[in-house]
Amino acid sequence: MAASRCLRSCAAWPSSKGPYKLSALLARAPRREFREIFDDTGTISNKRVSTEEVNRRICESEFYCFPDDHKVGFTANQLNVNRPVEDRWSAYRLGGTMRFENQEGFYDSSHPLASYAADFPGGHLFTVVDGHAGHTCAHAVNMLHVDYIASSLLPQQLLEPILTVLSKPNLMNALPYASELAQPYLLDPSAFMTSDGTSSPSGPTSSSGSASFSSSDSRHCNWRLWGQWGPLDAEVNHKRLFNIHRFLKERLETTNQDSPPDCVLQANGNVYDAEGFLVSSGFEFESHQLATISSTATSLRTALARMDSDITSDAVPHPETGLNKSLLRIVLSGCVATSVYLPHDLSSLYVLQVGDCGAVLGRFIGKDSLSSSSINGSPEGSDSAKMESHLKSMDPGEWEADLLVAPHNAQNLREVERLQSQHPIHEASLMIVEDRLLCELIPLRAFGDIRYKMPAKMLKNIAQLCGLPPNYPVTPRFYTSPPYLFATPQVVCHRLDLRRDRFVILASDGLWDMLTPHQANPSLAGPRDTAASRLIRTALGGREMDTARIAMHLSVPANVARFYRDDITVQVIYPTP
């Protein structure tokens, strides 16, 4: 998240005596309008990025994965402006969608879930995380959230055997910091990252021709397990294991206890969450499916709320051990995130949103030439060829782009009402000032950010232990009834029509500040493996993806560029690859 997203993280503007000529118009303009005023701002940098450098910068983090099981495929990319980059993305298989054949090391047939996959259907989980005031919280949430979601979705009958397996001192062939309950798509044999010059689109192979991802593979140290951002800190990972075991134990101990569901089916046939937001409409699903949707949505919300609760409580100074700065560093910064969860049967799509990232569903509304048989797949893979043909000949008038969940910010009046209803009425005019929470933070839901959650007395105690001066402003103004920041996700479920619903764009606000959902659709006309890169080119270069215009953007020094654009992270998910 750019510096302008959180006022307390803003850096100083460059001196007017330097080599930059930045007009006052640029300083005042919203980032969304930057492309319109860019050509009028004069020379911002004396050095123009070359076309070769533009292509290198945009393609260096390009990733795609289209597995041979023809279930779900996706492409991802990231263009940074913050240093280090504050965005993250991840993609995982859960439960029955995990693949243990042709795998070596931790994800082979000895994996804890290998014997139980048939009893845990699972699905596919894709996530984009956008950090602010640093990258630490975003990195932790990106690595932690999948364990909580998998733990929350596990069927009750599997809790005891899974907990028994996970409690063993040493798991056979376990790799450090690997997720025990999910499998990264990065490990798929079809996974390919442009910057990894030693790999091929078909993935690394052993002498026998099977995919090889043993712990001795040098690519594990690069991106095969954790992406290009590296693993969790050792202390954070130790806490992760402890918290996941505790979460599973609590679920096991409360198996026979009735607790009110967080998402309920109302008399009008719709499912609503505890805050009154619509989860699913009754006209989209059969009545017998709504109970499953209610249960799944409750599990997803519980998982991420529990994760935020754990990382927050872990940061509280312990009476004996004192302050753990590794754990505190996570929640002193913050992040927002949006996840897409596709159940194994691809009958529906769940969106989990905290903050102002976004998920857009691309729906084909023209004359459909894809028959149901081709959607279900054929041995020759003709469905993929027909899909590719459709995407290459995209007519914008034949496509719809639906933003699945509105951003949680001051423009979302329903979200503002939710915030105001949780605090005394006399605070209503003080909580949102200049479209920011307590005049500081743009998103109204976020992970971490204890500055907007913990009691003032506890924050002052932490500040004292950190050696901050007594007059340091540890809380925002008008901080009287915390918590003000909410971390429980809004969950929305849609029925998937695989004949019409062709792709999902999952992106941080760095993309949506530059493009509307409708403007993003035409960018996907072309090969699917470069779809995420084309969206980035469109955001910076307009519909024509003008390389010269992109070069002007990339020529701006990072300490200036971060004030008008943000890190851009994109995933394009194809439910019918």
Side-chain angles (χ1 to χ4, degrees):
M1 189 171 288
S4 60
R5 310 294 283 173
C6 180
L7 290 182
R8 294 190 58 79
S9 64
C10 286
W13 283 90
S15 169
S16 59
K17 297 180 181 179
Y20 317 113
K21 297 179 181 179
L22 191 65
S23 71
L25 178 60
L26 173 59
R28 295 194 303 267
R31 283 180 288 155
R32 185 183 297 277
E33 300 175 5
F34 176 75
R35 289 185 298 163
E36 284 68 32
I37 66 172
F38 192 91
D39 296 333
D40 300 326
T41 59
T43 302
I44 292 183
S45 174
N46 294 328
K47 182 180 179 181
R48 183 66 56 84
V49 171
S50 65
T51 300
E52 292 75 15
E53 179 66 10
V54 167
N55 294 332
R56 186 194 69 80
R57 289 275 301 276
I58 290 181
C59 295
E60 65 181 350
S61 296
E62 190 175 61
F63 175 91
Y64 59 86
C65 180
F66 291 92
D68 55 14
D69 58 6
H70 299 291
K71 290 291 185 181
V72 175
F74 75 103
T75 176
N77 204 347
Q78 182 177 82
L79 182 67
N80 72 303
V81 64
N82 292 297
R83 298 180 181 177
V85 61
E86 295 180 349
D87 282 9
R88 298 289 188 270
W89 66 263
S90 60
Y92 289 92
R93 297 176 185 266
L94 278 66
T97 63
M98 296 171 68
R99 302 175 65 181
F100 303 106
E101 71 280 4
N102 297 328
Q103 298 280 357
E104 297 179 9
F106 184 57
Y107 291 99
D108 63 6
S109 58
S110 64
H111 187 274
L113 281 179
S115 303
Y116 306 104
D119 299 317
F120 176 30
H124 314 265
L125 181 68
F126 302 89
T127 302
V128 165
V129 186
D130 183 1
H132 49 259
H135 69 281
T136 314
C137 186
H139 186 67
V141 167
N142 192 52
M143 300 290 289
L144 295 173
H145 76 287
V146 64
D147 290 312
Y148 284 89
I149 288 177
S151 298
S152 190
L153 291 174
L154 276 174
Q156 289 292 138
Q157 69 271 17
L158 293 185
L159 292 177
E160 187 170 1
I162 292 296
L163 190 57
T164 301
V165 174
L166 294 181
S167 299
K168 292 181 179 179
N170 295 305
L171 291 173
M172 186 180 301
N173 298 324
L175 291 165
Y177 318 124
S179 172
E180 290 82 6
L181 299 176
Q183 186 180 60
Y185 260 105
L186 296 169
L187 287 172
D188 194 277
S190 66
F192 177 70
M193 181 168 281
T194 305
S195 61
D196 186 20
T198 61
S199 65
S200 64
S202 59
T205 56
S206 64
S207 58
S208 62
S210 62
S212 175
F213 300 111
S214 64
S215 58
S216 61
D217 193 328
S218 62
R219 277 181 292 275
H220 272 145
C221 301
N222 185 11
W223 58 270
R224 284 284 178 183
L225 273 178
W226 316 291
Q228 62 265 47
W229 313 284
L232 283 172
D233 178 87
E235 289 188 77
V236 179
N237 184 66
H238 176 74
K239 272 293 185 181
R240 173 187 72 88
L241 295 170
F242 174 80
N243 289 334
I244 291 300
H245 286 200
R246 182 176 61 181
F247 185 29
L248 290 172
K249 285 181 180 178
E250 290 178 6
R251 283 199 62 200
L252 184 61
E253 292 169 356
T254 58
T255 298
N256 298 321
Q257 298 180 12
D258 293 330
S259 57
D262 186 64
C263 300
V264 296
L265 176 63
Q266 301 287 5
N268 61 2
N270 298 335
V271 178
Y272 296 89
D273 63 22
E275 292 78 48
F277 288 90
L278 179 67
V279 174
S280 181
S281 297
F283 71 86
E284 284 193 273
F285 296 92
E286 300 293 336
S287 57
H288 67 275
Q289 296 175 307
L290 294 175
T292 301
I293 292 171
S294 175
S295 174
T296 302
T298 296
S299 297
L300 295 173
R301 282 167 53 87
T302 300
L304 295 190
R306 175 60 180 260
M307 177 189 68
D308 187 71
S309 175
D310 282 349
I311 63 175
T312 300
S313 59
D314 289 343
V316 176
H318 193 275
E320 297 179 0
T321 59
L323 189 68
N324 188 316
K325 292 187 177 180
S326 295
L327 301 174
L328 177 63
R329 195 175 296 116
I330 293 174
V331 292
L332 286 179
S333 59
C335 69
V336 297
T338 299
S339 297
V340 168
Y341 174 64
L342 298 170
H344 71 290
D345 59 0
L346 301 181
S347 62
S348 56
L349 174 150
Y350 292 84
V351 179
L352 300 73
Q353 182 151 310
V354 173
D356 53 4
C357 294
V360 169
L361 178 64
R363 179 177 292 114
F364 183 69
I365 58 175
K367 183 178 180 181
D368 194 359
S369 63
L370 286 182
S371 65
S372 58
S373 60
S374 68
I375 285 294
N376 293 330
S378 63
E380 296 78 19
S382 61
D383 54 332
S384 296
K386 290 182 179 181
M387 179 69 73
E388 195 81 36
S389 176
H390 266 274
L391 293 172
K392 287 182 178 179
S393 59
M394 284 181 68
D395 178 355
E398 295 183 331
W399 292 81
E400 285 183 345
D402 295 336
L403 181 64
L404 297 177
V405 182
H408 298 136
N409 54 31
Q411 282 71 49
N412 186 336
L413 298 182
R414 181 68 184 83
E415 180 68 8
V416 173
E417 291 174 0
R418 189 272 309 164
L419 173 65
Q420 292 176 341
S421 69
Q422 296 173 343
H423 295 272
I425 191 170
H426 67 270
E427 292 189 52
S429 62
L430 303 175
M431 285 186 291
I432 305 293
V433 180
E434 296 182 358
D435 287 342
R436 294 174 183 265
L437 177 65
L438 300 178
C439 199
E440 291 188 2
L441 194 66
I442 285 183
L444 303 184
R445 301 194 194 196
F447 300 109
D449 280 323
I450 58 171
R451 175 179 166 81
Y452 309 97
K453 296 177 180 178
M454 283 188 175
K457 184 177 180 180
M458 187 175 295
L459 290 173
K460 291 177 181 178
N461 181 39
I462 292 175
Q464 185 178 7
L465 292 174
C466 290
L468 296 176
N471 60 346
Y472 185 84
V474 296
T475 63
R477 294 183 300 169
F478 313 117
Y479 194 78
T480 58
S481 59
Y484 289 91
L485 198 57
F486 198 55
T488 301
Q490 180 181 351
V491 176
V492 172
C493 179
H494 286 275
R495 184 177 67 86
L496 269 184
D497 179 359
L498 298 183
R499 292 169 52 86
R500 297 289 181 181
D501 300 332
R502 301 294 171 77
F503 54 81
V504 179
I505 303 173
L506 185 59
S508 62
D509 66 334
L511 181 79
W512 304 124
D513 283 340
M514 310 287 276
L515 290 178
T516 66
H518 185 72
Q519 290 171 335
N521 258 358
S523 304
L524 300 187
R528 290 171 296 162
D529 55 4
T530 58
S533 299
R534 290 197 303 278
L535 281 168
I536 293 176
R537 289 180 182 273
T538 303
L540 299 182
R543 185 171 182 177
E544 296 76 18
M545 305 184 198
D546 184 4
T547 302
R549 198 171 185 178
I550 299 173
M552 293 178 69
H553 278 276
L554 299 184
S555 298
V556 180
N559 62 335
V560 178
R562 65 196 298 264
F563 284 93
Y564 66 82
R565 70 177 176 90
D566 201 355
D567 298 329
I568 300 176
T569 300
V570 185
Q571 285 181 301
V572 183
I573 306 155
Y574 297 92
T576 55

